[in-house]
Amino acid sequence: MSISIAPSSSEPDAEVLGMVLGAFGRWADRAVDPAAIEAHGSLPGPVVSGAGALGLYGLAVPEAYGGAGFGLTATARVVEEVATRDRSLATSVGLHNGLGLHPLVNYGSDALKDAYLPRLAGGMVASFAATEPEAGSHIAGLRTTAEPDGRGGLVLNGDKVFVTNGGLAGVFTVLARTPGLGGARRGTSLLLLDREQPGLRVGAEERKLGIKASSTTTLVFEDAPVSVDRVLGVAGRGMEQMHHALTWGRSLMAAGALGTARAAYAMAQRHVAERRQFGRAIGSFGQVRQRMVSARVSLWTTEAVLRAVTRLGDEGVDIGWHSAIAKIVASEAAWSVVDDALQLHGGSGYIEDTGVARMLRDCRITRIYEGANDVLRMQVAGQAFASGSPEADLAEVTAPLGARGGARLRPMAEDYDRDAKRLRAAVEALRERFGLRVFEHQVLLAGLADALIARYTARAGFLRAAAAPEGSPERMLLECAWPDLRRRFDEGLQRSLDVDAEERIYAASEADPG
């Protein structure tokens, strides 16, 4: 029996969303100084309280509890805009509205919702604690345990690390092993705990490469007494609940990555228009044009993927697989765009005053947290072997595009539809050769994942462009993106079948380096 998630609240119209974004922009102009915030090393109290007063911490709280009641698409748009101003603030807001709120909103009892959601909508910060010293990507290896205390309650012991918002949060959602609770001998559960929880100690702030003002701490539980009414949803199903929460978390993290990339691109636009060499603006030179167009195409394709994924989430679709792709696409595009922005600034890009160096530091973490991209690639590829039927498992990337888009886009649609046969053949070849042992061949699966990601991105971009009129920038950007997406698909598919290359890698990794 799977956990069902109701569709998100109906989306606000463009005017309401525009009002929220406008109010944030006016406040950020006077209150958000990213260089000063980074130098401070933590989010200043006035910034956190100001964000709370604006309702940024209540975006995903239902209206009945005083929040905005935004669905995933609208929440992502706001997080994206916050990230154009400061990534540490966006990390706090995104984590709060995603992993921080999702479990309580979807699984909390009426009593817990009544007690906490109005305060969370008003600016109290939420956090989520799952990662442990020995349980990062291998979250099933967690050791934090809540056991019966013999008096009808639980006692919690264990350590959590890399807890975003840990130093700010008034409430924590904690993933813990709960053996026997709810009849699951090895089950896990999500527990909602106050900051004042007896037996809870919040550690010091971590010093980080980027997002330096974002709060990151440890949590230590030492014989912490927990009432069973603090269990969210069905006891013993915490892992499943966490995976649903991660679909929001990864989508909002992807939105933050897109916002950072947008800010870097805008900064590069200004620089190449103003910087003159050899008597003219450097933006007129061919290589500069090439970098700028490449960055613009990356922004456009990332936005197409993210919007497609969040719309599915708002429709109540399980977007676990989709959100993993969105997270990979956005985090890797952001790194590329910000790196290009720094390159286009030349030496000044390496100087702190421009702000590009800070953006580069800030976006590096996005390829690691909420699922390292290497691990997520295994999840993306694993979808191809979910049930034994490529047609069912890969329906999102094998359904034909057909005659959409008119004559100009038809050759692209035909290429895409022909490639579905090649994709299915590659999956069947891997299945026939390795059977269930295919999951031991990570080098091959990484290639398959890249082919699937390229195909997902191509489909999202194509559908977006096909809905736009002839001659629109949308169609022009698709035409620029298409050759590279085809190349990525081809290369990924080739790597997925190159068993000899995988064997060479393994042999070289075991050779004596001398």
Side-chain angles (χ1 to χ4, degrees):
M1 177 179 171
S2 63
I3 294 175
S4 61
I5 300 295
S8 300
S9 304
S10 59
E11 288 303 309
D13 59 29
E15 184 178 359
V16 172
L17 183 57
M19 289 172 60
V20 172
L21 296 176
F24 166 73
R26 291 187 295 274
W27 171 75
D29 285 341
R30 65 178 185 273
V32 178
D33 180 341
I37 288 173
E38 185 186 58
H40 189 264
S42 62
L43 290 172
V47 171
V48 177
S49 61
L54 274 174
L56 297 185
Y57 289 104
L59 297 173
V61 175
E63 291 181 80
Y65 296 95
F70 280 6
L72 183 54
T73 299
T75 304
R77 277 291 293 114
V78 177
V79 172
E80 178 186 332
E81 193 64 27
V82 175
T84 67
R85 301 303 189 106
D86 184 74
R87 191 54 190 274
S88 290
L89 178 58
T91 299
S92 177
V93 170
L95 186 286
H96 169 97
N97 282 285
L99 282 168
L101 284 178
H102 189 278
L104 175 59
V105 169
N106 285 277
Y107 311 120
S109 65
D110 289 342
L112 288 176
K113 290 179 182 179
D114 289 340
Y116 286 99
L117 287 179
R119 286 188 283 163
L120 290 164
M124 185 172 78
V125 179
S127 184
F128 186 91
T131 304
E132 299 183 3
E134 303 301 324
S137 296
H138 178 54
I139 199 67
L142 67 91
R143 294 289 177 265
T144 298
T145 304
E147 298 181 293
D149 63 4
R151 300 182 300 275
L154 303 170
V155 60
L156 180 65
N157 284 283
D159 300 340
K160 297 294 184 180
V161 297
F162 309 145
V163 180
T164 301
N165 282 347
L168 300 174
V171 63
F172 300 90
T173 299
V174 178
L175 179 70
R177 294 173 61 235
T178 51
L181 193 64
R185 187 165 63 90
R186 296 183 178 179
T188 60
S189 301
L190 294 179
L191 311 174
L192 191 75
L193 304 178
D194 279 312
R195 188 179 190 86
E196 294 77 20
Q197 164 75 44
L200 165 62
R201 177 164 52 85
V202 180
E205 293 287 350
E206 301 285 1
R207 298 176 63 195
K208 305 185 292 292
L209 171 69
I211 56 171
K212 294 184 178 183
S214 168
S215 175
T216 307
T217 70
T218 58
L219 298 182
V220 178
F221 300 99
E222 296 175 332
D223 294 328
V226 180
S227 171
V228 292
D229 63 9
R230 292 285 174 157
V231 175
L232 296 176
V234 179
R237 299 177 67 184
M239 199 71 73
E240 188 176 352
Q241 294 167 346
M242 184 192 71
H243 285 309
H244 279 288
L246 276 169
T247 66
W248 265 64
R250 287 173 180 155
S251 299
L252 296 182
M253 195 282 297
L258 177 57
T260 299
R262 277 179 49 207
Y265 177 76
M267 195 175 291
Q269 272 187 311
R270 291 192 295 270
H271 179 76
V272 302
E274 295 168 0
R275 174 67 168 164
R276 300 183 68 82
Q277 291 285 282
F278 307 104
R280 54 183 171 141
I282 64 172
S284 66
F285 295 114
Q287 288 191 77
V288 174
R289 289 175 187 261
Q290 184 180 35
R291 282 190 189 273
M292 291 299 293
V293 169
S294 175
R296 187 179 177 193
V297 167
S298 291
L299 291 174
W300 183 79
T301 53
T302 299
E303 187 176 275
V305 169
L306 181 59
R307 299 289 186 268
V309 170
T310 60
R311 280 196 298 270
L312 288 174
D314 286 331
E315 293 167 3
V317 174
D318 180 352
I319 57 169
W321 187 71
H322 306 262
S323 64
I325 290 177
K327 192 265 189 184
I328 294 170
V329 169
S331 61
E332 295 182 356
W335 179 259
S336 175
V337 170
V338 177
D339 185 60
D340 274 346
L342 192 150
Q343 185 72 22
L344 288 166
H345 276 78
S348 67
Y350 218 68
I351 304 301
E352 288 294 345
D353 288 349
T354 64
V356 186
R358 182 184 61 256
M359 291 180 181
L360 196 70
R361 289 194 298 273
D362 286 350
C363 74
R364 182 58 183 89
I365 185 62
T366 58
R367 290 151 60 195
I368 299 173
Y369 68 179
E370 299 205 27
N373 286 9
D374 299 325
V375 176
L376 291 182
R377 276 183 162 82
M378 296 304 99
Q379 294 182 21
V380 169
Q383 176 68 19
F385 307 96
S387 72
S389 168
E391 292 299 335
D393 298 334
L394 300 176
E396 295 90 347
V397 291
T398 56
L401 293 174
R404 295 183 179 91
R408 179 89 182 199
L409 301 187
R410 188 165 298 130
M412 298 181 201
E414 291 172 351
D415 287 342
Y416 181 92
D417 292 348
R418 279 194 300 268
D419 285 343
K421 183 177 181 179
R422 296 172 56 205
L423 176 61
R424 288 191 289 265
V427 171
E428 289 296 351
L430 287 169
R431 195 194 308 273
E432 289 179 12
R433 178 157 189 169
F434 300 112
L436 291 177
R437 293 183 59 215
V438 70
F439 295 104
E440 299 173 10
H441 295 270
Q442 292 191 357
V443 174
L444 305 182
L445 291 181
L448 178 61
D450 284 342
L452 291 169
I453 292 166
R455 193 163 170 86
Y456 193 103
T457 305
R459 183 179 189 86
F462 183 94
L463 293 176
R464 180 176 182 178
E470 291 279 356
S472 66
E474 304 274 2
R475 293 191 170 217
M476 190 179 301
L477 289 166
L478 177 67
E479 290 178 0
C480 289
W482 199 259
D484 184 57
L485 291 170
R486 288 292 311 284
R487 176 188 60 78
R488 292 188 208 175
F489 172 78
D490 288 341
E491 291 178 355
L493 212 60
Q494 182 178 351
R495 285 189 289 115
S496 75
L497 299 173
D498 196 344
V499 178
D500 291 341
E502 183 183 53
E503 291 175 350
R504 287 193 299 271
I505 289 169
Y506 275 79
S509 71
E510 295 172 358
D512 185 349

